[in-house]
Amino acid sequence: MSRFDFSQPPFDTLGPAERDALEARADIVYFPDDALVIGPGQAIDALYMVIKGKVCELAGEEVVSRYHPRDSFDTRALIAGQTPHRFVVEEEALLLALPRAELLALTESHPRFGAYFYASVSQKLGMLAQRAGTRELQTLLTATVRDAGCRQPVFVDAADSIRDVAAAMKAQRSKSVLVRDGERLGIFTTTDFRDVILDGVDSAEPIGRHCGYQLLTIDIDDFLFNALLLMTQRNLRRLVVTEHGRPVGILAQVDVLSYFSNHSHLIAQRLERAGSLDELADIASQIDRLIGILSGHGVRPLQLGRLVQALNARLFARAWRMIAPAEVADNSCLIVLGSEGRGEQILKTDQDNALLLRDGVPPESVAEYCDAFSAALARFGYPPCPGGVMVSHPEWRLTRAAMRDRIHGWLAQPSGEGMMQLAIFCDAEAVCGDASLLADCRGYLRERLQDDAGFYARFARAIDQFDTPLGPFARLRTRERDGRDTLDLKKGGIFPLVHGLRALALEYGVDETGSHARALALAAAGRLEPSLANDVVEALGVLSQLRLDQGLRRIEAGQPADNLIEPERLSSLERDLLKEALAVVKRFKAQLRHHYRLGSL
């Protein structure tokens, strides 16, 4: 057992014996205050890990970084054999000196270990962002349907009677059967039995007349996460499992439950059974707990955001149906905007929603329901939007014709406020009601867009609204807020990536709303260099992970989640990760400035 913490990348890729061998060749060295550990022109013969004290990295007289216990430095110098910076002790320090020759030998014999030192930005960001992935419990990202296991299907013939099928299900203790009808395959479940009984169907009738043939399937080697997502989105209790296109089993929600200990699927079930806003409020708090559990098991923000989006959509739709009369819900479309529409709002920040109404429905006639809905969301833990982008504001409950007029105004007379409203509308997703209303408005937007370079430049210029907090020598720029040296992850990093992809998607007619999907679609269409698209996706994942980790810590401490992070509280690896991500932000912004000629505006 190692006496030192080798749980951080890249040492976590080594086996216990290799860690012990590395430690055996290491030295523990002491440095007093103000001592120079390594400096320019000095040969680098070790990688240092801080055991006690603090070490400051300086470029001239400018502080580049600080290293605390468990941090290591300097991987760049280790590979290059020299450094342009000085590493000076701020508080007397005990350091573990890991010999350079041994580490370089390990980079040759262990590709994953070596990748940390030599990988491209995209590969390095992706590898480090997945550092929480290996646990005793396989995560939703790595576990497959095969890992979870599935039940042997019970097959019956379409000509078999309902009575015979009931007997077969009882004998096999099965809650579903697969029905063969020539080349077709159907499914019949205990829920279908309920409907058959209520409809007074003769039990002698053939089962083939009463089963469903629109099967939803999942491959046995697909990720279990995808099965969970499909069940959540479609409100399903089981999926047909296929292998090489043949049905080989049934995956039930209880199978997922037996594999994961967090009971996540129960949230979707409770949403469907909920009979009051009180119950929905309790379920909303369960979503918060689920986020903490899944994040702790290594589920990354991209996948976690998609799952939370699906659950939130069900929560919002259920609440709206409880509050609004059926004729209102059926003649309107409740939509979510911004990060909620993109599937990138994991923790509850604020409400971003709107209501589209059929032409002829007076918006003032639904005001009381919209006010009640916004109040319900606030009760569920979603704070009111500071900009008033909520259905409770008349500006965001519009008929289809009024929404078209709003779109026309955004395009014909672009203003700063109008451009930001257009931006969040580009991310819209329907969650309840008549989705064709949103589709119609989206279609109108596409029709009205013209090949106007000036318009697209005005839309994209918001990327420069905030400075990237990365200065010369890769120094993180912070501001003091409430006695803390912080930087804003959203303004400085996440927003320019998201909005830059959104601007390109609008210009080139990319329909995807999620940032990840937009980047891939733009790369596939030849509108974005694939390597840059990968770097942008990975950088966005890193920044989102850091924001999520910080938000969860604040929530645990009884504080609201925010976008501020204290670099001093990060490990050296996390700071390196942050710097790499912000460097990608700078590179992406530079390309967008060139593409849209923003310097000339």
Side-chain angles (χ1 to χ4, degrees):
M1 178 69 69
S2 172
R3 292 173 296 159
F4 303 101
D5 184 3
F6 287 143
S7 64
Q8 296 288 331
F11 304 106
D12 59 344
T13 64
L14 301 175
E18 290 149 338
R19 295 182 198 178
D20 290 343
L22 182 61
E23 183 183 333
R25 292 173 175 82
D27 291 323
I28 297 178
V29 290
Y30 167 79
F31 290 91
D33 289 353
D34 301 322
L36 179 68
V37 182
I38 52 178
Q42 181 178 338
I44 306 299
D45 57 8
L47 179 75
Y48 293 96
M49 179 184 292
V50 181
I51 301 172
K52 180 182 178 182
K54 185 188 299 183
V55 176
C56 182
E57 180 181 356
L58 298 166
E61 297 304 315
E62 188 169 9
V63 176
V64 175
S65 191
R66 286 185 171 86
Y67 302 93
H68 305 84
R70 298 176 64 201
D71 291 348
S72 59
F73 64 91
D74 177 50
T75 55
R76 296 177 295 268
L78 184 81
I79 299 303
Q82 59 184 351
T83 177
H85 296 170
R86 292 181 297 128
F87 293 79
V88 178
V89 174
E90 277 194 339
E91 296 176 3
E92 60 175 358
L94 278 179
L95 307 179
L96 182 68
L98 301 166
R100 180 172 185 256
E102 299 295 332
L103 291 172
L104 293 181
L106 283 171
T107 66
E108 295 291 331
S109 59
H110 288 76
R112 289 183 62 205
F113 183 81
Y116 173 73
F117 298 95
Y118 297 107
S120 68
V121 171
S122 176
Q123 292 168 328
K124 185 176 180 182
L125 291 176
M127 177 179 63
L128 290 178
Q130 296 181 52
R131 65 190 181 276
T134 304
R135 306 260 176 142
E136 288 185 12
L137 177 64
Q138 275 190 295
T139 71
L140 284 170
L141 296 182
T142 58
T144 65
V145 174
R146 190 187 298 274
D147 293 326
C150 56
R151 305 172 184 210
Q152 283 293 112
V154 177
F155 289 94
V156 298
D157 192 81
D160 291 344
S161 70
I162 294 174
R163 184 189 300 276
D164 291 337
V165 170
M169 292 174 71
K170 181 178 180 181
Q172 298 293 328
R173 297 183 178 180
S174 174
K175 294 186 177 181
S176 64
V177 294
L178 295 181
V179 182
R180 289 193 175 107
D181 184 12
E183 295 298 318
R184 294 196 303 170
L185 189 68
I187 190 169
F188 191 85
T189 69
T190 52
T191 301
D192 296 319
F193 261 119
R194 178 197 63 194
D195 295 337
V196 163
I197 293 171
L198 290 175
D199 293 338
V201 176
D202 189 336
S203 63
E205 280 203 21
I207 198 71
R209 296 180 184 175
H210 303 280
C211 65
Y213 289 98
Q214 300 296 320
L215 297 185
L216 284 173
T217 65
I218 192 161
D219 189 83
I220 196 167
D221 291 317
D222 202 345
F223 291 122
L224 196 58
F225 173 85
N226 290 334
L228 177 62
L229 187 63
L230 185 58
M231 287 178 176
T232 301
Q233 291 172 331
R234 298 295 191 89
N235 190 26
L236 300 172
R237 295 186 179 181
R238 58 186 63 80
L239 296 172
V240 176
V241 179
T242 60
E243 186 171 17
H244 305 302
R246 294 187 307 105
V248 295
I250 301 291
L251 179 69
Q253 284 184 334
V254 69
D255 300 320
V256 181
L257 173 60
S258 68
Y259 192 78
F260 298 110
S261 60
N262 56 54
H263 299 235
S264 58
H265 74 282
L266 293 178
I267 294 177
Q269 287 187 350
R270 285 197 64 197
L271 282 171
E272 291 307 309
R273 293 197 301 263
S276 68
L277 294 177
D278 288 340
E279 289 183 70
L280 291 182
D282 182 59
I283 295 168
S285 68
Q286 287 190 359
I287 295 176
D288 291 336
R289 290 193 291 272
L290 174 64
I291 292 168
I293 292 169
L294 296 185
S295 179
H297 284 312
V299 180
R300 296 181 65 185
L302 171 63
Q303 290 77 16
L304 190 53
R306 290 173 60 205
L307 180 60
V308 171
Q309 180 189 37
L311 290 172
N312 281 348
R314 298 275 289 279
L315 174 67
F316 298 164
R318 196 80 177 96
W320 180 241
R321 290 281 184 184
M322 285 184 183
I323 292 169
E327 62 270 17
V328 171
D330 293 340
N331 287 283
S332 63
C333 180
L334 179 67
I335 61 176
V336 290
L337 307 161
S339 57
E340 186 68 56
R342 295 193 308 272
E344 295 165 15
Q345 179 168 283
I346 300 173
L347 298 177
K348 297 169 181 172
T349 52
D350 57 9
Q351 300 179 35
D352 277 315
N353 49 58
L355 188 69
L356 299 178
L357 298 159
R358 288 194 200 281
D359 292 339
V361 178
E364 61 273 13
S365 69
V366 300
E368 64 174 298
Y369 312 121
C370 292
D371 290 345
F373 180 75
S374 293
L377 291 197
R379 182 182 172 194
F380 297 166
Y382 300 87
C385 175
V389 184
M390 302 181 293
V391 296
S392 56
H393 285 224
E395 187 179 8
W396 291 101
R397 50 177 188 264
L398 303 168
T399 62
R400 182 193 67 96
M403 188 70 239
R404 282 176 162 235
D405 289 342
R406 176 79 61 82
I407 292 170
H408 175 77
W410 290 335
L411 303 182
Q413 297 178 314
S415 64
E417 179 66 21
M419 289 297 92
M420 291 314 298
Q421 290 182 356
L422 173 59
I424 63 172
F425 178 76
C426 288
D427 301 338
E429 282 289 316
V431 297
C432 186
D434 185 359
S436 69
L437 292 170
L438 176 59
D440 176 89
C441 293
R442 270 224 177 91
Y444 179 75
L445 172 61
R446 285 192 295 269
E447 292 170 9
R448 296 291 303 174
L449 284 171
Q450 300 176 3
D451 188 14
D452 182 351
F455 168 79
Y456 292 116
R458 283 189 292 272
F459 183 76
R461 72 184 305 174
I463 63 164
D464 282 330
Q465 187 175 356
F466 309 107
D467 292 332
T468 306
L470 187 68
F473 311 110
R475 181 176 179 270
L476 294 171
R477 289 174 170 166
T478 60
R479 292 184 178 181
E480 184 176 339
R481 305 190 194 196
D482 301 325
R484 301 184 296 156
D485 288 329
T486 67
L487 62 82
D488 192 313
L489 288 172
K490 181 177 179 180
K491 291 180 179 179
I494 294 173
F495 175 78
L497 294 179
V498 167
H499 189 66
L501 292 171
R502 181 163 47 204
L504 292 171
L506 184 67
E507 179 182 6
Y508 294 119
V510 172
D511 290 331
E512 281 81 359
T513 54
S515 299
H516 180 267
R518 281 171 172 164
L520 297 184
L522 289 165
R527 302 299 186 176
L528 188 62
E529 183 68 29
S531 61
L532 180 57
N534 288 335
D535 285 350
V536 167
V537 166
E538 293 295 351
L540 187 56
V542 167
L543 296 170
S544 299
Q545 185 68 59
L546 291 172
R547 181 171 68 163
L548 175 60
D549 292 343
Q550 169 69 4
L552 289 172
R553 283 193 292 269
R554 286 182 61 83
I555 290 172
E556 187 176 351
Q559 301 169 318
D562 60 22
N563 298 305
L564 302 180
I565 195 167
E566 297 177 68
E568 282 293 310
R569 292 183 176 271
L570 301 177
S571 69
S572 61
L573 293 170
E574 288 172 323
R575 283 196 298 273
D576 283 346
L577 193 61
L578 175 58
K579 291 175 184 179
E580 295 273 23
L582 292 176
V584 172
V585 174
K586 277 195 163 184
R587 182 153 54 96
F588 186 48
K589 287 172 70 173
Q591 178 156 323
L592 290 169
R593 289 191 199 102
H594 174 75
H595 177 74
Y596 290 112
R597 305 179 189 274
L598 296 182
S600 61
L601 292 179

